[in-house]
Amino acid sequence: MREDVESLDIKDVTANWVNAEVLARQIEERIKALADLTDTPLFFGRLDYLHAPGADQAEGSEGERFYIGRRHVHDHDGDPMVIDWRAPVSQPFYRASKKDPMDVGLRRRFGYTRGDITAYEDEHLSDPAEAAQTSKLLQQEIERPRVGPMRDIVATIQPEQDEIVRSGLGGTVCVQGGPGTGKTAVGLHRVAYLLYAHRERLARTGTLVIGPNRSFLHYIEQVLPALGELSVQQATVDDLVAKDVEVRGTDDAPAAVLKGDARMAEVLKRAVHSHVTMPTEPVMVVRGSRRWRVPAYEIEEIVRELQDRGIRYGAAREALPQRIAHAVLVQMERSGEAPDDRVQDAVARNPAVKAAVKAIWPPVDPAKLVLRLLTDADFLAEHAAGVLDEDEQKTILWAKPVRSVKSAKWSAADAVLIDEARDVVERTHSLGHVVLDEAQDLSPMQYRAVGRRCSTGSATVLGDLAQGTTPWATRSWDEALAHLGKSDGVIEELTAGFRVPTDVITYASRLLPHIAPGLTPVASVRENPGFFDLRETSGTGEVVAACEELLRNEGSTGLIAADARVPELADALTAAGLPYLAPGEETTAETRLTLVPASLAKGLEYDYVVLDEPQAVVDGEPDERTGLRRLYVALTRAVSGLIVTHSAPLPAALAG
């Protein structure tokens, strides 16, 4: 299929060089999408239908066989050899069961080792004599060692995951899932499914995956290309909002919480619209020998009407000169003239009209506006009256004056405020679909920033309330969806754990009553209970020894520690001659150890983990609850085994 595309000759099929460039680019993208993937088989399953899909079963139609794979594959005659996993005919591979065989006589799973078929497993779903059983190949695939970036899960999607993946484009879905339930994979595969089912629409409107940090995005970036989807953008919330300013500063927790509060949206809206002043003088337009006068009261009526319409500040400002010009044209027509649209445009550009508009509805620079709010106590007090009390206003005010936007040390929360102000001035471009991962850590204002990017589209929101590690972490998904502008979103919960071993998740779940009471604990479905050990140590040498012990196993190893302890552990690893990587860097045969600051562990996974000093992880956060949540994240990064090392006493919440 790739060779067929590469052999296309487009010299005589394009009308001009522009068409030729566009077609050449499309061909290039198609070739990239058809690239061979090392050790990745073209198909992983087979379905034998009792009757041809869509045929009348009463007529006794013959059955049909389909091979299911990551991509659609056809032969030289165009006949399908492998059916895309997203096609409707593939759905029973994930949903069919002994209770509901969905007209499938046989489901076959193929097992692979480095791209070669090494096993297969059959289920005769419509045979009452055969008992239902757990798939050994499925278990092996789930428990396969994790080396390198995140991979697709098309061969192991479970029925409850498949329902979310195939949910429609029109609705927003929020997925609450504990560690190892596959929520990130579900979100990425939902994007792949939507691009398959609504390709033309999403090609026009665009799709975006939003992650918590660059390390996380690097970890997941190969999943969609492996499924042939190359057009999906990836970004962090900070990437989206930091367009006008450079983020160089930080806020203390109280200021960050207040700046992230949804009430700030009202303060910003008031501040932007406060620039509108009612006219006190008429507008005099001179054209040739005639003068046309629009009285102040008539202009005020126009201004109030534009305000009442609730349109963006900038859009109303652009409409104002046309409305004033229209008032002039009405006078012209009454006097017997017959002006057309060109005359109206000319009047709108008249110096007197432009001067009036500038005085009545001046342009607003979002960054300058936010700078004034954060540095001018009187300006803030005027627009925060009844919204923020005096103490709250003092909390967000900067202690030192700043000369300009460029010299200011903006924080990430400030950039979100500027983005909100920019949206009050001019509408933010909306995409067709947005996936928001690790959503529990977003502030209400950050949710609003993401919601603007899908105001006319839909979203997939992914997260775990128990893993919220910011002072403003989400309290409920209903509240989060409201801030996102998607109150009608459907909340789904994944509780089956496919990644974290039973012994590890059982130990980590001791923290749930303290960090997220009422949340359903994850139930591991892995047959292998995993390796778990709790060790009291006397120094970093024993931590390094634990890493060396785990590296004797196949797969990757992560050493997770409180951020403040990372430099000391880095020195210890170097002294021991043990090479290591930073989070997000791809493991190799020679280097399979990653040193991970606890603040960057979220969303990552390793076959084996050494967790250093749990109490230090807790102490590294502004409050105990946030610290225990950070610890919960760190405890649940292991796929096969976990060693917890500590010289200080363990947090009381872990006592069992």
Side-chain angles (χ1 to χ4, degrees):
M1 288 170 66
R2 189 174 64 253
E3 287 169 356
D4 286 345
V5 179
E6 290 172 336
S7 65
L8 290 174
D9 184 356
I10 62 172
K11 292 176 184 175
D12 300 323
V13 297
T14 54
N16 52 53
W17 69 270
V18 175
N19 289 346
E21 285 288 330
V22 172
L23 187 55
R25 179 66 182 272
Q26 290 175 340
I27 289 174
E28 182 183 338
E29 291 294 311
R30 176 67 173 160
I31 291 169
K32 285 181 184 177
L34 290 171
D36 287 321
L37 299 174
T38 307
D39 297 343
T40 301
L42 287 175
F43 61 91
F44 51 80
R46 191 184 104 189
L47 288 177
D48 290 5
Y49 277 87
L50 297 176
H51 308 87
D56 187 351
Q57 297 182 13
E59 296 178 2
S61 63
E62 293 185 10
E64 201 165 348
R65 173 177 297 172
F66 299 95
Y67 286 87
I68 313 300
R70 286 165 177 76
R71 304 293 309 282
H72 168 84
V73 182
H74 60 250
D75 60 19
H76 284 291
D77 296 325
D79 294 326
M81 299 175 68
V82 179
I83 304 298
D84 194 300
W85 66 277
R86 297 167 287 189
V89 77
S90 303
Q91 187 171 327
F93 185 79
Y94 303 107
R95 301 269 189 99
S97 64
K98 294 292 289 185
K99 290 183 179 178
D100 181 15
M102 300 176 72
D103 199 42
V104 172
L106 176 126
R107 173 168 57 199
R108 173 170 290 179
R109 301 181 192 273
F110 294 94
Y112 290 86
T113 303
R114 298 181 181 85
D116 296 326
I117 293 181
T118 53
Y120 68 87
E121 184 180 72
D122 288 348
E123 296 173 86
H124 297 88
L125 298 176
S126 298
D127 183 356
E130 184 177 290
Q133 56 188 4
T134 303
S135 168
K136 297 293 184 185
L137 287 180
L138 197 60
Q139 280 292 333
Q140 290 171 12
E141 177 65 20
I142 289 172
E143 298 179 11
R144 190 155 58 93
R146 264 63 170 168
V147 178
M150 184 179 180
R151 59 177 184 259
D152 66 76
I153 60 162
V154 290
T156 62
I157 294 173
Q158 299 298 294
E160 64 272 21
Q161 296 174 325
D162 190 63
E163 286 186 25
I164 298 170
V165 167
R166 295 178 193 267
S167 54
L169 177 60
T172 288
V173 178
C174 176
V175 183
Q176 158 63 38
T181 54
K183 57 186 177 294
T184 296
V186 166
L188 294 174
H189 287 69
R190 186 179 182 216
V191 171
Y193 171 77
L194 293 175
L195 285 167
Y196 173 88
H198 308 278
R199 189 166 301 280
E200 288 188 10
R201 178 175 170 184
L202 289 177
R204 293 192 306 271
T205 56
T207 50
L208 172 67
V209 174
I210 301 174
N213 52 57
R214 282 275 142 207
S215 297
F216 178 84
L217 291 177
H218 183 70
Y219 177 62
I220 68 169
E221 67 184 358
Q222 296 303 318
V223 175
L224 289 168
L227 302 173
E229 302 300 345
L230 306 173
S231 61
V232 180
Q233 305 171 58
Q234 293 187 345
T236 65
V237 174
D238 292 346
D239 293 334
L240 295 178
V241 301
K243 292 179 179 178
D244 297 337
V245 296
E246 181 184 356
V247 174
R248 297 182 296 149
T250 55
D251 290 309
D252 57 24
V257 170
L258 266 174
K259 289 178 181 179
D261 193 305
R263 292 177 295 164
M264 288 300 298
E266 176 61 25
V267 176
L268 289 163
K269 184 178 179 182
R270 290 181 184 181
V272 170
H273 285 280
S274 71
H275 290 77
V276 178
T277 55
M278 292 302 166
T280 56
E281 299 290 335
V283 173
M284 191 71 71
V285 177
V286 179
R287 282 184 60 81
S289 61
R290 300 292 301 270
R291 291 172 178 266
W292 306 98
R293 181 178 180 275
V294 183
Y297 75 86
E298 190 171 341
I299 300 173
E300 182 176 339
E301 288 176 0
I302 294 171
V303 170
R304 293 198 184 280
E305 183 189 345
L306 287 172
Q307 288 179 320
D308 292 342
R309 287 173 60 188
I311 59 177
R312 294 297 194 277
Y313 181 91
R317 185 177 185 275
E318 291 175 4
L320 181 56
Q322 289 289 337
R323 297 298 302 275
I324 294 174
H326 177 72
V328 173
L329 259 66
V330 170
Q331 293 184 29
M332 289 180 176
E333 289 169 348
R334 285 173 182 165
S335 68
E337 294 189 22
D340 56 17
D341 290 345
R342 289 175 298 177
V343 174
Q344 179 166 333
D345 290 339
V347 172
R349 295 192 300 270
N350 184 277
V353 174
K354 290 169 72 174
V357 170
K358 186 175 181 180
I360 298 167
W361 212 298
V364 172
D365 182 300
K368 288 181 179 178
L369 176 90
V370 173
L371 183 63
R372 187 179 176 192
L373 276 172
L374 297 177
T375 56
D376 185 337
D378 292 337
F379 187 67
L380 177 62
E382 179 185 352
H383 302 299
V387 180
L388 303 178
D389 62 34
E390 288 186 17
D391 289 338
E392 289 175 324
Q393 292 173 32
K394 289 177 183 176
T395 300
I396 63 173
L397 275 169
W398 290 355
K400 297 179 181 179
V402 179
R403 285 184 296 178
S404 68
V405 168
K406 286 189 176 180
S407 64
K409 288 189 176 180
W410 298 102
S411 68
D414 296 334
V416 177
L417 295 179
I418 294 170
D419 189 71
E420 177 81 29
R422 187 190 302 116
D423 186 68
V424 177
V425 175
E426 58 183 14
R427 184 179 295 279
T428 304
H429 173 68
S430 174
L431 298 165
H433 192 77
V434 169
V435 174
L436 176 60
D437 205 351
E438 300 296 347
Q440 72 279 348
D441 275 341
L442 268 60
S443 69
M445 290 298 284
Q446 286 176 315
Y447 277 118
R448 289 176 62 88
V450 174
R452 289 192 281 278
R453 269 80 186 174
C454 56
S455 58
T456 59
S458 56
T460 301
V461 180
L462 312 166
D464 179 12
L465 296 178
Q467 295 186 60
T469 51
T470 55
W472 51 82
T474 303
R475 290 173 292 187
S476 78
W477 291 123
D478 285 327
E479 186 179 313
L481 289 171
H483 292 310
L484 197 68
K486 306 291 182 184
S487 297
D488 57 348
V490 176
I491 300 172
E492 303 281 359
E493 187 170 12
L494 297 175
T495 57
F498 303 99
R499 175 171 57 78
V500 186
T502 302
D503 290 355
V504 174
I505 196 65
T506 301
Y507 184 72
S509 293
R510 294 180 180 183
L511 298 175
L512 283 179
H514 305 275
I515 60 177
L519 207 61
T520 305
V522 172
S524 179
V525 298
R526 295 169 65 105
E527 293 185 346
N528 182 355
F531 168 73
F532 174 70
D533 198 11
L534 194 60
R535 299 179 184 178
E536 192 166 351
T537 60
S538 57
T540 55
E542 292 175 65
V543 179
V544 172
C547 293
E548 291 174 327
E549 176 187 332
L550 293 182
L551 284 168
R552 297 188 192 109
N553 299 304
E554 182 185 1
S556 58
T557 297
L559 170 56
I560 303 177
D563 293 29
R565 284 187 51 78
V566 167
E568 181 184 349
L569 291 169
D571 291 342
L573 292 173
T574 302
L578 208 56
Y580 62 89
L581 303 165
E585 293 182 343
E586 193 164 336
T587 54
T588 64
E590 296 75 26
T591 309
R592 294 181 289 116
L593 175 65
T594 303
L595 177 57
V596 187
S599 62
L600 295 180
K602 190 170 296 180
L604 305 179
E605 58 183 34
Y606 302 93
D607 284 291
Y608 294 91
V609 167
V610 176
L611 175 59
D612 169 77
E613 294 295 353
Q615 187 61 53
V617 174
V618 176
D619 293 342
E621 300 300 326
D623 60 81
E624 185 184 32
R625 188 184 188 193
T626 304
L628 290 174
R629 286 181 165 186
R630 182 76 71 190
L631 179 58
Y632 181 73
V633 171
L635 283 168
T636 54
R637 299 305 96 198
V639 173
S640 299
L642 170 68
I643 296 177
V644 177
T645 60
H646 68 102
S647 55
L650 292 169
L654 281 176

